[in-house]
Amino acid sequence: MIPPDSSSHRSRSSSFSLEKVVLGHLLILIVGIAWAFGGQIGWARLALLVWGTIGIGVFFYALVKTNRPETRRNACLHLWPLAAFDLIVGLSCLNPSFQSFLSHGELYFKLSTPPYAWLPSTARPDLSLRELWQFNAIVLSCYNLVLVVRSRRSIRNFLLTVAANAMLLAIFGTFQKFSDATSPWFGLVPTRQNYFFSTFVYHNHWGAFTLLISGACIGLLFYFWKRGGYRDLWHSPVMIGAMATLLLASTIPLSGSRSSSLLLGLLIASALLHACTRLIRQHRVRRESATRPIVALGVTVFLALSAIIYLSQDVIAQRTRLTTEQLSGIQRASTLDSRLTLYRDTWRTGMVKPWFGWGLETYGDVFRIYNSQRAVESWFGPPYYREAHSDWLQSFAESGVIGTALLVLLGLAPLWPGRRHLLQSSLPRYLLSGCALVLIYAWLEFPFANPAVMIAFWCCLYSAAHYAALDRAANADQPGHA
């Protein structure tokens, strides 16, 4: 005789197995791409497309198999901007605005009128389709956290594993830095980029990646602190975790990323303020003075920062000299500098097609037409820019106002339903703080050109939204909860 609850048991077992598949798939994605030069090498991008396509398949499988109507409804509410964005890019690929031709065995492109001028168009359908494939693979693989995972503990364990991997990358990068390696992997892999760190080809991408993971680490620290069960704060795993987090964060100034270092300072300062507030509150309840623990915390942080500055002194001195030279150059130049000229030309490029833009991943080809900068030596021609050094401006130039607005809505959609309770828990709060800092950073740099940063961003955003929703549901189920 079959027990009456056997079907529900099989359902729970199936859900648990699918949860393990999702978490394992996503961990392999973020860990593998981070170690594979952040995804900025040909074979790594191909591996991302292949492995990410499996994530797309898991998404549709889970969507069909789920027996929760609210899960399907939430997926539609959260991902309709992605579907609209896919539709626009798909239409643009059927409406090319560049023509290709061969000359002396070389492939060239020239501007032409698209067949349907009133529809979205793209200068390079091949690049747009490939970038759209990659974007969907990343977003849907990360969204599987929301679709399948039903346990806050699973999300915390996932984030702990991601943080541990980042720590290994940081240790690897630190040893590599002090060995005076001339390129990643201790000089084994040559690169034209002088500023690299760990396995990341560009130090600013490492800075953005570390900002996101540092936000997750700080959120986890406050969670375990609140959970308690230790004799006191100084005799708990929280302090070991705090030291590990500071070690991870110290690699940002060590890498030479100036903007990321400033943003990291804001994140750590807010965390310290939060820690002091919690210490005061805890000791006030016990009718004790919080002076000693706050002083001890201040001394610990001061010693840690002193060690970071000491280890990074050569890099800091080098970057300070470069900053001084750049500021002197700005004062002597008739315009602020070439970066502002780049931003101005990028804005002018976008204003030619303000609604739908020139097409996803077409900036490098289209910007040649509107680039007003010229090299000092006339025979070199104008400098070539593959990225706009501002993800927001590049998104406007490539996807227009409508496409950029859809991407913003894609990020806001999972956060909006629980917006009133989203920041009540420390873990979602710091996960979103890291995301917000990277979005600010994207005004001045191009962190989202790095696949590892993009994967980490969507992992953190969806983890924050889903963790807050699970937290809210758990609190609602408690007896006496209104």
Side-chain angles (χ1 to χ4, degrees), residues 14-24 148-151 154:
S14 175
S15 298
F16 180 69
S17 298
L18 186 58
E19 180 177 299
K20 290 194 293 185
V21 168
V22 165
L23 293 173
V148 174
V149 176
R150 291 287 170 263
S151 165
S154 295

Side-chain angles (χ1 to χ4, degrees), residues 111-128:
L111 183 63
S112 65
T113 302
Y116 305 98
W118 52 278
L119 284 177
S121 63
T122 179
R124 294 286 304 276
D126 55 332
L127 297 181
S128 296

Side-chain angles (χ1 to χ4, degrees), residues 27 46 195 233 256 363 371 384:
L27 281 173
L46 179 60
Y195 299 111
L233 180 63
Y363 181 83
N371 185 8
Y384 172 71

Side-chain angles (χ1 to χ4, degrees), residues 202 205 338-350 361-367 371 373 384-398 441-449:
Y202 189 36
H205 290 159
S338 60
R339 180 66 65 88
L340 292 181
T341 304
L342 173 62
Y343 293 161
R344 183 195 64 203
D345 291 342
T346 301
W347 175 261
R348 189 160 56 93
T349 303
E361 196 63 13
T362 61
Y363 181 83
D365 294 290
V366 175
F367 187 69
N371 185 8
Q373 297 187 57
Y384 172 71
Y385 290 98
R386 185 179 176 183
E387 310 290 344
H389 289 265
S390 170
D391 280 334
W392 287 97
L393 283 177
Q394 184 164 335
S395 179
F396 170 62
E398 291 185 347
Y441 190 40
W443 281 104
L444 303 172
E445 269 294 345
F446 52 105
F448 291 105

Side-chain angles (χ1 to χ4, degrees), residues 113-150:
T113 302
Y116 305 98
W118 52 278
L119 284 177
S121 63
T122 179
R124 294 286 304 276
D126 55 332
L127 297 181
S128 296
L129 280 175
R130 184 182 179 90
E131 185 68 15
L132 184 68
W133 180 8
Q134 175 181 291
F135 184 67
N136 278 265
I138 290 174
V139 173
L140 294 181
S141 293
C142 295
Y143 187 79
N144 286 334
L145 282 171
V146 180
L147 191 62
V148 174
V149 176
R150 291 287 170 263

Side-chain angles (χ1 to χ4, degrees), residues 82-351:
L82 178 62
F85 186 78
D86 289 348
L87 177 61
I88 290 175
V89 177
L91 288 174
S92 72
C93 292
L94 301 175
N95 195 30
S97 58
F98 271 28
Q99 287 183 348
S100 61
F101 63 95
L102 284 171
S103 177
H104 303 289
E106 295 288 338
L107 183 63
Y108 293 91
F109 298 90
K110 66 177 181 179
L111 183 63
S112 65
T113 302
Y116 305 98
W118 52 278
L119 284 177
S121 63
T122 179
R124 294 286 304 276
D126 55 332
L127 297 181
S128 296
L129 280 175
R130 184 182 179 90
E131 185 68 15
L132 184 68
W133 180 8
Q134 175 181 291
F135 184 67
N136 278 265
I138 290 174
V139 173
L140 294 181
S141 293
C142 295
Y143 187 79
N144 286 334
L145 282 171
V146 180
L147 191 62
V148 174
V149 176
R150 291 287 170 263
S151 165
R152 289 174 292 176
R153 177 182 293 179
S154 295
I155 296 177
R156 291 195 298 269
N157 289 338
F158 167 77
L159 292 173
L160 282 169
T161 307
V162 171
N165 174 67
M167 281 298 306
L168 291 176
L169 285 166
I171 294 170
F172 178 83
T174 302
F175 278 114
Q176 184 175 254
K177 190 74 175 180
F178 289 126
S179 69
D180 295 324
T182 57
S183 63
W185 289 97
F186 291 94
L188 296 177
V189 182
T191 176
R192 291 176 294 178
Q193 174 60 256
N194 293 326
Y195 299 111
F196 63 92
F197 190 83
S198 189
T199 59
F200 283 63
V201 177
Y202 189 36
H203 65 315
N204 283 336
H205 290 159
W206 169 257
F209 180 81
T210 308
L211 276 174
L212 291 165
I213 307 303
S214 296
C217 290
I218 295 172
L220 288 168
L221 286 175
F222 278 104
Y223 164 78
F224 287 110
W225 184 3
K226 182 179 180 180
R227 191 181 70 172
Y230 320 110
R231 189 173 76 182
D232 55 43
L233 180 63
W234 308 102
H235 297 83
S236 72
V238 174
M239 294 308 299
I240 298 175
M243 292 298 102
T245 302
L246 283 174
L247 174 62
L248 174 63
S250 70
T251 60
I252 294 183
L254 184 62
S255 71
S257 180
R258 293 168 292 183
S259 302
S260 297
S261 298
L262 293 175
L263 294 174
L264 174 68
L266 292 176
L267 182 63
I268 291 179
S270 64
L272 287 175
L273 181 61
H274 184 190
C276 291
T277 303
R278 175 167 287 186
L279 283 171
I280 292 172
R281 190 183 300 120
Q282 287 180 342
H283 284 73
R284 185 175 294 169
V285 171
R286 302 174 195 162
R287 299 182 182 278
E288 299 174 354
S289 173
T291 303
R292 289 180 62 185
I294 289 178
V295 170
L297 178 63
V299 171
T300 302
V301 172
F302 174 78
L303 292 175
L305 291 177
S306 299
I308 291 171
I309 293 173
Y310 175 77
L311 293 174
S312 308
Q313 58 182 334
D314 292 338
V315 178
I316 293 174
Q318 178 186 6
R319 301 302 283 173
T320 301
R321 286 195 300 271
L322 179 59
T323 303
T324 303
E325 292 171 2
Q326 289 175 338
L327 291 174
S328 300
I330 289 173
Q331 293 175 352
R332 292 193 302 266
S334 57
T335 58
L336 286 178
D337 72 342
S338 60
R339 180 66 65 88
L340 292 181
T341 304
L342 173 62
Y343 293 161
R344 183 195 64 203
D345 291 342
T346 301
W347 175 261
R348 189 160 56 93
T349 303
M351 288 302 294

Side-chain angles (χ1 to χ4, degrees), residues 402-424:
I402 294 177
T404 302
L406 287 172
L407 293 177
V408 172
L409 289 173
L410 178 62
L412 292 177
L415 306 178
W416 186 255
R419 60 193 180 279
R420 295 180 181 178
H421 310 280
L422 191 62
L423 302 181
Q424 290 182 356

